[in-house]
Amino acid sequence: MVNPPEPFPDLDWSPERARALGDAALEMYEEWLRRLPDLPVDRGRNAAEVSEAVHLDVPAEGLRDEELLEYLRKLVFDYSMFPGHPGFLAYIVGGGTVPGAIADLVAAGINQNVGGWRLSPGATEIELHVVRFFAEQFGLPDEAGGMLVSGGSIANFIGLKAARDAKSGAGVRARGLNGRPQLVAYTSQEVHFATTRAADMIGIGTDNVRLIEIDDQYRMDLVALETRIDEDLTAGLRPFCIVASLGTVATGAIDPLEPIADLCARHGLWLHVDAAYGGPIVLSEDLRGLAAGVERADSIAFDPHKWLYTPQSGGCILVRDIAHLAESFSADAGYVYEDKELTGRGIDLGMLGPQLSRSFWALKVWVSLLAHGTDAYGRRIAHDVALTRYLADRIEASDRFELAAPVGLSICCFRYAPPDLPNGGGREEYLDLLNERIMAAVQMDGRVYYSNAILGERFVLRTCIVNFRTEAEHLDQVLEVTEELGAKLDAELRPTHF
Amino acid sequence: MVNPPEPFPDLDWSPERARALGDAALEMYEEWLRRLPDLPVDRGRNAAEVSEAVHLDVPAEGLRDEELLEYLRKLVFDYSMFPGHPGFLAYIVGGGTVPGAIADLVAAGINQNVGGWRLSPGATEIELHVVRFFAEQFGLPDEAGGMLVSGGSIANFIGLKAARDAKSGAGVRARGLNGRPQLVAYTSQEVHFATTRAADMIGIGTDNVRLIEIDDQYRMDLVALETRIDEDLTAGLRPFCIVASLGTVATGAIDPLEPIADLCARHGLWLHVDAAYGGPIVLSEDLRGLAAGVERADSIAFDPHKWLYTPQSGGCILVRDIAHLAESFSADAGYVYEDKELTGRGIDLGMLGPQLSRSFWALKVWVSLLAHGTDAYGRRIAHDVALTRYLADRIEASDRFELAAPVGLSICCFRYAPPDLPNGGGREEYLDLLNERIMAAVQMDGRVYYSNAILGERFVLRTCIVNFRTEAEHLDQVLEVTEELGAKLDAELRPTHF
């Protein structure tokens, strides 16, 4: 007779206790939603202060639920900043859908591991439906596929890894890159660093990503691109991939997708489209045309947590032919053996990407799509663009703001320029300094919140609307606050020689 | 006068509507917790059936909340399987803490992007506290650091990438791997494929991961390891890293960490410890000693979503010196400019790993630690081991089960072997077949759920307890169900020559 150990149920909370803590958390969320427009976007605290405020020694005995809630309230209301605030217009960070947040509770509650079909039957099939929906929106063929991932950086990494493995000759996964012709990728100077970082991660090196010159619309210059490919071919290198941006991070520019696709076809290159920001325009009747050519991509990365507004974080990688993901990521392992003929089970998504255990990222995206519908999504995305045009028009009509780049999607780059500031004499350098200080002051002020871009050598202010709570009044406030703080800083900072 | 567009608030749900949907979701979670012990772990459905059941065309107009809830109920109760079920003992997939699930609602609600400090002040500082807590538990020095990531595969990838960049000579991030001495890593035959896949991802190739022979405890053989390093050095290759397992995936074996650390010191190799499964034993007074030597690692990967039971998904990478992550992942980008001296802001975690936008993965881990406390955690982890010993003892006392490997941590590998089965005549091959079919039958049956390992060439059944709801009665049921289905299958399958 073998004696069993005494039960130890301490971590197994009763349904009642779970409900009580959940109720309190939900009440806090409701309160936060109600107070959100009146809270500052950010409180401008410093690191030491925040670190101390949220510090706790992990206790030997668990906190009481009231203590835990008190702590969470402090975190939420006093030590967080709010990308969902209507005045938040920075960095292409989405607002965070309400049904998406609730979906995350459901996903975490039932704790599906979407790495294996057997561990997540409904979740895996939902992810496949989500992927199919997006593949159709982008106009990809039936054999296209893909998956949700933890963010756009990983989505772009997967695209480049699949490109590397498809284009660098047999055996690269087994034997590595050494001793093969040097792979070279092409993209524009305006590309997000996710692409160069991915080139580093897959081992080809950031120097082997050619940053091609841009035209006056911040789009990749096709002549420069083709010239560079020819030079590299002549030098014995192996061009393998062009990364086109569908919505650059700084200005929202869209690279000329059709001619780039032609070039890829001519040279046998992989076309990867970084659509992290701009991808969702395919959901808008009015904007879809701007993405023409994306349907010719070999892979597309985009971020539901940006312009589909879903909570952090969740990206998506689509490939023209799902076989490419299997070829680039499949693995054998005895400890996950199964006989699918016997069980009738479906695809294991953990075998098609870099992660075996996987979150049910798809649920918040799927639930957001179902709850809001494609009409509202498409119209809101177009509305973000309309709002941005409104801001740009106001800037152009003003004598103290300058539009700094063409407005394509929902990004507006501009500068505050005091009307009495004379031309010449280091004017542009002074405006760099002044606008840099304005950005910091606006961010610390907390009524609205935006970020910046560096265009050429100029420091410019940059708003990006991927926030379904933003309306024209908040853009008016952007200009008011900028002018108020700008005039004050100008009085402090302007050199005497002006 | 510039005319503003009409507001479009359709996606901005009222606090009341958010609360109502949240209440309904929470009620469903409470019901699910109540019914969980009586639900089947899995319903054994096939892919076509599930795919159809969860399919919906994304509607033009959003679903009504009741329709959405109806759909979610179907997903939760009819088309999911449950790693949190007390009878779930498969694949090292954690049960999913209750406070962790509620933390995910809070994190998704306020939608912190933990890539930049300015976007997530409290969240970033909490993540740093979590990392510091774990670094201390593992005995790493003060300059250690790290981050939460989307899972163990990515955590192992980051460790190997940091090792690659530290050991392959200057300029590897810029110029890539080509033309450098071939890097070689060492690990045991029992390693999880996350390591070989990471070697592929970073460009050194899976063949350049040496899978060293194991001893009779399934631990890396030190003599074979050292011999292989010497051979590779003689061949002009560049050994750079040893990956030791703290808890192998198949049997829970712990590689001899101290002598491996000595070997690393002697040869200047990076010591990466894949502690994805076993890492949390450092929280248990009773078990901590088994991890002696882990404090000498250059990097450690482990998974809170495994043996810290937190919901899917969240891994953790720790490095001995945080500078290594900055050196391996830092990037410059004008569009995330800031003057930290002016603002007093802290560390941007997006610059220390592969992702810029990042989830608030840390909250579910932090809240679980705070809610349960270190005592209960340590005791439950030790309890999982005690339960596993109980199962092993029952197996050893039985005439129809065979223990297939030594029990170190909370994994038990065993076979069903009918007592009247004669020795010889292909007995072992028949038991492979029989046990393979038993696993499938048990999984489709749904009362309990376990998986398998391949040990040598033998197919064995494998239970793993990383589930705080499992008690001795469920292990008794494992043996009962296995015996019941095993006897039935044996009657069907046994060849006549026995």
Side-chain angles (χ1 to χ4, degrees), chain A residues 306-428:
Chain A
K306 292 190 168 77
W307 215 352
L308 290 175
Y309 317 109
T310 52
Q312 295 291 333
S313 62
C316 183
I317 176 72
L318 301 172
V319 290
R320 178 163 213 84
D321 184 343
I322 187 65
H324 282 300
L325 288 189
E327 283 157 19
S328 195
F329 288 98
S330 65
D332 276 327
Y335 44 90
V336 289
Y337 174 87
E338 66 175 343
D339 181 338
K340 282 192 197 286
E341 245 176 84
L342 199 65
T343 58
R345 292 171 182 152
I347 290 176
D348 296 319
L349 288 168
M351 291 296 168
L352 300 181
Q355 280 191 245
L356 184 55
S357 291
R358 299 174 68 252
S359 269
F360 192 4
W361 292 296
L363 190 64
K364 60 189 163 197
V365 179
W366 186 235
V367 165
S368 298
L369 288 168
L370 295 179
H372 296 312
T374 51
D375 272 4
Y377 254 119
R379 288 177 62 200
R380 178 67 221 195
I381 289 165
H383 184 63
D384 293 341
V385 173
L387 283 170
T388 306
R389 298 223 163 104
Y390 164 73
L391 178 63
D393 289 345
R394 278 212 54 193
I395 285 167
E396 294 204 293
S398 158
D399 65 350
R400 57 207 60 200
F401 292 102
E402 299 172 357
L403 197 63
V407 168
L409 300 176
S410 69
I411 290 173
C412 179
C413 291
F414 66 101
R415 310 237 273 189
Y416 173 74
D420 63 338
L421 190 71
N423 281 329
R427 178 184 191 273
E428 296 307 312

Side-chain angles (χ1 to χ4, degrees), chain A residues 13 37 128 173 203 215 236 250 304 319 383 395:
Chain A
W13 282 14
L128 295 172
R173 293 190 65 197
D215 65 18
V319 290
H383 184 63
I395 285 167

Side-chain angles (χ1 to χ4, degrees), chain A residues 96-109:
Chain A
T97 57
V98 167
I102 291 162
D104 258 4
L105 168 68
V106 174

Side-chain angles (χ1 to χ4, degrees), chain B residues 42-56:
Chain B
D42 185 47
R43 294 184 192 272
R45 301 188 193 278
N46 70 47
E49 190 184 355
V50 178
S51 175
E52 197 189 324
V54 301
H55 181 259
L56 278 179

Side-chain angles (χ1 to χ4, degrees), chain A residues 150-195:
Chain A
S150 50
S153 296
I154 299 293
N156 279 300
F157 161 75
I158 294 173
L160 262 72
K161 165 95 167 54
R164 182 198 83 177
D165 295 345
K167 298 294 184 185
S168 62
V172 64
R173 293 190 65 197
R175 297 190 298 282
L177 290 168
N178 220 340
R180 293 169 187 267
Q182 178 63 53
L183 295 172
V184 183
Y186 303 82
T187 189
S188 93
Q189 292 169 343
E190 292 291 298
V191 78
H192 190 281
F193 73 74
T195 286

